[in-house]
Amino acid sequence: MAGVIPVTAQKHTLRDSVRQWGDIEGGSQGEPEPIDVPTLVERSVLIARVLVVDVDSHLTTDEQSVMTDYTVQILDVEYSARPGVLAGDRVVVSRFNGEIFLEGRRVLYEIRSFPNFKAGEEYVLFLGSAQFPETEAYRSRYGGLRRFSVMSDGWGAFEIANGEARQVFGTDTEGWNGRQPGSVSMFLEDLRTAISQVRESRPGQ
């Protein structure tokens, strides 16, 4: 007679894994198909130029994965379907990625096509509503800061540096065929054109 697994059985956690195998490295390839700027605009509830001010990687509440919360300061709001988000505000952008030490062992989780954001760097982010529960730990850590997720993996993030806008889903990724790096002014012109088109199709926004 086959054994019966109780419905209350616990899932195997990362803590269990490091105790059994030691250091762990894992991840995924990310969303493979290129996403153009007009599509990103249609998917987003907030598009903003931001400065990363803090990076906090931690174990998820269920201990199944590693998450990083990036506290960012909004420098400019290009588009918002969320009233009250203004330049100068801080929000939290959460992603499944990061490096932590658990039970004295290194745990690395990364989306290979979506490199980590870095503190002190600027980005234009296409953001959606966060799909993560606001736990007591989150509220204790961040208070009332709004929380968002990056749309479409690295396609929804552009690094701003040296006068150029570079899609974070980088050109070193095999099969990459996204937007070529170019001037920030040209990128913002194309972005604002796409936003105007979306606004025309969404009266009131």
Side-chain angles (χ1 to χ4, degrees):
M1 180 177 177
V4 177
I5 300 176
V7 294
T8 56
Q10 296 293 312
K11 292 181 179 179
H12 196 77
T13 66
L14 282 178
R15 193 179 302 277
D16 296 328
S17 297
V18 297
R19 287 171 177 169
Q20 183 173 356
W21 297 304
D23 294 352
I24 295 174
E25 293 188 9
S28 65
Q29 292 296 330
E31 187 167 343
E33 295 300 321
I35 311 294
D36 59 19
V37 168
T39 302
L40 287 168
V41 172
E42 291 175 356
R43 294 181 178 183
S44 300
V45 299
L46 176 66
I47 303 169
R49 185 168 177 169
V50 307
L51 173 69
V52 178
V53 297
D54 187 61
V55 179
D56 178 26
S57 299
H58 56 90
L59 194 63
T60 55
T61 303
D62 61 7
E63 300 195 347
Q64 297 294 311
S65 188
V66 177
M67 174 182 290
T68 298
D69 295 320
Y70 299 90
T71 302
V72 304
Q73 181 169 349
I74 296 177
L75 304 178
D76 292 297
V77 176
E78 295 292 340
Y79 171 81
S80 178
R82 294 287 184 269
V85 180
L86 304 172
D89 289 350
R90 291 190 176 191
V91 300
V92 175
V93 177
S94 297
R95 290 177 47 191
F96 284 116
N97 77 307
E99 180 182 20
I100 63 171
F101 286 85
L102 183 63
E103 303 279 338
R105 296 292 189 172
R106 177 174 177 263
V107 179
L108 174 67
Y109 181 85
E110 59 182 353
I111 299 176
R112 294 176 180 84
S113 60
F114 192 179
N116 300 336
F117 299 143
K118 298 176 182 177
E121 294 193 351
E122 289 186 24
Y123 300 85
V124 171
L125 300 181
F126 295 74
L127 301 171
S129 300
Q131 302 300 310
F132 311 106
E134 291 198 1
T135 62
E136 185 60 38
Y138 175 84
R139 287 188 289 271
S140 174
R141 186 180 293 119
Y142 299 112
L145 293 187
R146 298 191 186 193
R147 194 180 203 184
F148 296 90
S149 298
V150 180
M151 301 304 299
S152 306
D153 292 341
W155 299 114
F158 288 77
E159 182 182 7
I160 305 299
N162 302 317
E164 285 195 333
R166 183 185 66 83
Q167 205 158 22
V168 173
F169 194 118
T171 53
D172 57 346
T173 303
E174 183 178 353
W176 184 88
N177 57 351
R179 183 186 176 97
Q180 294 291 333
S183 71
V184 173
S185 59
M186 182 64 71
F187 166 70
L188 290 177
E189 182 179 334
D190 290 347
L191 171 59
R192 289 164 184 164
T193 297
I195 289 171
S196 295
Q197 293 170 347
V198 169
R199 281 181 170 154
E200 289 175 3
S201 66
R202 299 177 184 174
Q205 292 191 15

